[in-house]
Amino acid sequence: MAQLWGGRFTKETDRLVYDFNASVSFDKRFYRQDIRGSMAHVRMLAKQGILAEGERDVILSGLEGILADVENGRLEIGEQFEDIHSFVEATLIDRIGDPGKMLHTGRSRNDQVALDMKLYARDEVCALDGLVEKLLVVLERLMEEHTETVMPGFTHLQKAQPITLAHHLGAYFEMFKRDRQRFFDIYERMNFCPLGAGALAGTTYPLDREYTAKLLGFAGPTLNSMDSVSDRDYLIELLSALSTVMMHLSRFSEEIIIWNTNEYQFVEIDDAFSTGSSIMPQKKNPDIAELVRGKTGRVYGALISLLTAMKGLPLAYNKDMQEDKELTFDAIDTVKGCLALFTGMLDTMKFHKSRMAESARKGFTNATDAADYLVNHGVPFRDAHGIIGRLVLFCMEQGKAIEELSLEELKSVSPVFEEDLYEAVSMDTCVNKRLTLGAPGKRVMEQVLAANRKWLSEHPALTAAGKE
Ligand code: ARG
């Protein structure tokens, strides 16, 4: 048990207490960020004359050595340390002696952990943004390929009106675009440096917080030391954004699962992204999509856990806040895995155009257009709605689609129908005459595709600032 704070204690910590309290098993994950933060702190201390330049250089090379040795596997972050901060400081002192004891001047683990977690979250927001960007690129490619792939659009999971696959996928493009915009916002709002807040009330050393913030690529220092050590809003925002990403992935997964059924056969998931059954030899299951859907709950759980952990906390730091780590790490790992797998699955999936088109033709998806035809010939819409309702009933009795009826049959329902009805209710008209911006008509879809391409080129994946 290696502790930084034994001085005022007369007894050893109970073993169970030690284990319960320790965080190194999970916070060792941000050793890079911890060392990066310490290096910036030491540079600032020397600039302010709090450390001599010689001391700074010895500490910096000691920290560099620790970083290199952890990276190359020569140094293990052992569980005999309470947390990653203790590990780095104790190892530094062990390696360079007395100068190492100056590292923690003007700093508390409270502002240190606030910084580490922020640096970590900031790096991960960038990685997550890159993964959503990759998904958007695949979506954009598929949309370009499928501006003429007609399929039924649904409401209540009942066939509603014909659309195109590009239009359907475009809905997800919008969702994931908003997810990236949320990442941009979160990054900007979180990008203030808490280091220098001390335990809660700042410090009497003449720290230059602007300088530390700049070294670490932050927009500036935070402005209240109590808030600096106890703010976890940025993690709650991140978990909320991740929950929304998962909700989108889960909806999309649900659709793919439905489209992949034997009944629909709109798509076929690639063999490399499907699994089989141990008993039923014929089976090819959409496990990846199901797992993505299933893991969504776990990310929502992280959000609710952290909101709940924070809700009763008095200012400033409380140990409850250590609970932010495992759940945030788990949520980030989960979402990264889901995004990578989902993108691979989508990228390799086959779309059965003829099945989609046939499904659109079969479900009276052109009934609205038939009613609009009557309206264009002077029938009030409410009457037209009633007439087409009767026409659909008639078609169902005959086992025919609207366009399969003869003009005579059509006229038996309404004398307003003429030969041009057939053109008016063709799939091509239903889709391509829908030209309001955002609709499936090819001409407007092409405008949207151009706008999407422009947006993607203007929004490259976020990169974390201040990497040394
Ligand atoms: N492991 C702690 C955490 O994650 C580090 C901060 C410890 N501070 C303290 N006063 N015990 O929150």
Side-chain angles (χ1 to χ4, degrees):
M1 295 194 264
Q3 287 155 329
L4 299 170
W5 39 263
R8 65 99 66 213
F9 289 80
T10 54
K11 272 189 185 174
E12 278 277 293
T13 315
D14 182 278
R15 183 77 232 178
L16 290 176
V17 171
Y18 183 84
D19 291 343
F20 191 65
N21 192 51
S23 54
V24 71
S25 64
F26 49 87
D27 63 20
K28 66 179 172 197
R29 169 190 290 243
F30 52 53
Y31 69 88
R32 268 192 216 104
Q33 287 82 359
D34 190 78
I35 293 172
R36 205 198 311 169
S38 287
M39 289 175 132
H41 182 62
V42 164
R43 289 205 166 97
M44 181 277 295
L45 290 177
K47 184 182 91 66
Q48 296 303 95
I50 303 165
L51 285 185
E53 288 186 359
E55 290 161 343
R56 173 196 63 195
D57 295 342
V58 177
I59 299 175
L60 286 179
S61 64
L63 289 170
E64 264 161 29
I66 295 174
L67 180 61
D69 288 348
V70 173
E71 305 266 72
N72 66 31
R74 247 179 295 173
L75 182 60
E76 206 197 319
I77 305 175
E79 305 244 329
Q80 71 274 29
F81 298 96
E82 182 184 340
D83 51 31
I84 187 62
H85 326 297
S86 314
F87 162 79
V88 173
E89 191 177 318
T91 310
L92 186 69
I93 295 169
D94 187 47
R95 289 185 168 197
I96 67 168
D98 280 349
K101 296 181 182 166
M102 296 174 179
L103 171 65
H104 210 52
T105 312
R107 187 174 76 170
S108 155
R109 276 184 300 168
N110 295 353
D111 59 344
Q112 187 180 356
V113 79
L115 172 68
D116 292 1
M117 196 60 185
K118 230 178 206 187
L119 288 173
Y120 180 81
R122 205 176 64 169
D123 290 344
E124 291 299 320
V125 166
C126 297
L128 286 154
D129 184 54
L131 287 168
V132 181
E133 189 206 23
K134 286 205 175 88
L135 175 54
L136 284 178
V137 169
V138 171
L139 275 171
E140 173 74 8
R141 174 182 66 75
L142 290 172
M143 287 172 71
E144 310 264 0
E145 280 171 30
H146 291 287
T147 53
E148 292 176 19
T149 305
V150 173
M151 65 179 283
F154 296 83
T155 63
H156 315 270
L157 206 52
Q158 304 283 322
K159 289 181 198 177
Q161 291 174 340
I163 55 164
T164 63
L165 181 57
H167 188 235
H168 196 117
L169 297 177
Y172 287 103
F173 189 96
E174 294 300 314
M175 292 181 230
F176 293 116
K177 182 170 81 181
R178 287 195 295 272
D179 286 331
R180 290 195 61 201
Q181 288 166 332
R182 270 182 277 275
F183 289 148
F184 305 159
D185 291 350
I186 291 169
Y187 186 103
E188 240 185 73
R189 212 172 5 263
M190 74 158 71
N191 200 24
F192 293 89
C193 183
L195 203 66
L200 76 162
T203 166
T204 54
Y205 295 100
L207 305 186
D208 183 346
R209 296 194 56 216
E210 302 271 356
Y211 184 71
T212 319
K214 207 165 130 223
L215 285 181
L216 293 167
F218 285 102
T222 51
L223 293 184
N224 181 289
S225 58
M226 305 258 278
D227 179 57
S228 306
V229 292
S230 67
D231 166 35
R232 298 294 181 273
D233 290 5
Y234 67 100
L235 294 177
I236 290 170
E237 286 191 46
L238 175 57
L239 292 173
S240 165
L242 293 184
S243 295
T244 308
V245 169
M246 288 304 292
M247 180 267 288
H248 294 153
L249 285 176
S250 185
R251 292 182 71 179
F252 206 167
S253 293
E254 170 71 10
E255 299 212 281
I256 289 171
I257 292 163
I258 294 171
W259 292 352
N260 188 59
T261 56
N262 192 40
E263 286 69 22
Y264 274 72
Q265 292 175 36
F266 283 8
V267 299
E268 188 178 341
I269 300 175
D270 194 78
D271 277 3
F273 286 86
S274 326
T275 48
S277 157
S278 63
I279 174 170
M280 297 166 281
Q282 85 284 10
K283 292 272 272 182
K284 184 172 149 187
N285 294 327
D287 285 28
I288 297 304
E290 290 172 22
L291 272 173
V292 169
R293 189 177 58 185
K295 284 176 190 290
T296 302
R298 165 166 171 174
V299 178
Y300 292 1
L303 170 63
I304 299 301
S305 298
L306 187 55
L307 280 168
T308 312
M310 293 302 294
K311 82 183 242 302
L313 298 191
L315 288 174
Y317 179 81
N318 300 268
K319 190 75 174 205
D320 316 44
M321 291 170 179
Q322 179 168 290
E323 284 296 304
D324 63 356
K325 307 210 170 42
E326 286 163 288
L327 52 90
T328 303
F329 297 157
D330 182 68
I332 289 172
D333 292 347
T334 302
V335 176
K336 281 167 97 175
C338 288
L339 280 168
L341 267 294
F342 189 93
T343 302
M345 177 179 68
L346 188 67
D347 199 24
T348 53
M349 204 158 72
K350 264 203 226 61
F351 293 90
H352 295 311
K353 296 188 198 185
S354 55
R355 287 282 306 179
M356 289 181 164
E358 187 191 314
S359 172
R361 273 195 307 273
K362 280 202 175 136
F364 300 106
T365 56
N366 53 3
T368 311
D369 295 83
D372 289 342
Y373 172 91
L374 292 177
V375 171
N376 287 331
H377 290 75
V379 181
F381 181 77
R382 193 48 56 209
D383 294 339
H385 188 286
I387 294 166
I388 301 300
R390 288 196 295 283
L391 184 69
V392 167
L393 262 183
F394 179 75
C395 285
M396 283 161 67
E397 280 158 23
Q398 306 286 313
K400 286 181 178 171
I402 294 174
E403 63 278 15
E404 285 166 356
L405 296 177
S406 66
L407 190 55
E408 237 172 43
E409 287 171 315
L410 286 166
K411 279 189 177 293
S412 73
V413 180
S414 167
V416 181
F417 289 125
E418 295 296 345
E419 196 59 43
D420 57 350
L421 180 271
Y422 296 105
E423 214 256 294
V425 300
S426 74
M427 285 296 117
D428 183 51
T429 307
C430 292
V431 170
N432 289 320
K433 290 265 164 74
R434 284 192 156 71
L435 289 171
T436 39
L437 185 63
K442 189 166 179 196
R443 223 169 61 222
V444 279
M445 186 52 71
E446 252 142 31
Q447 280 174 35
V448 169
L449 282 168
N452 289 352
R453 278 193 300 272
K454 184 161 179 284
W455 191 89
L456 281 173
S457 72
E458 288 169 355
H459 296 88
L462 285 172
T463 44
K467 286 222 172 153
E468 309 210 356

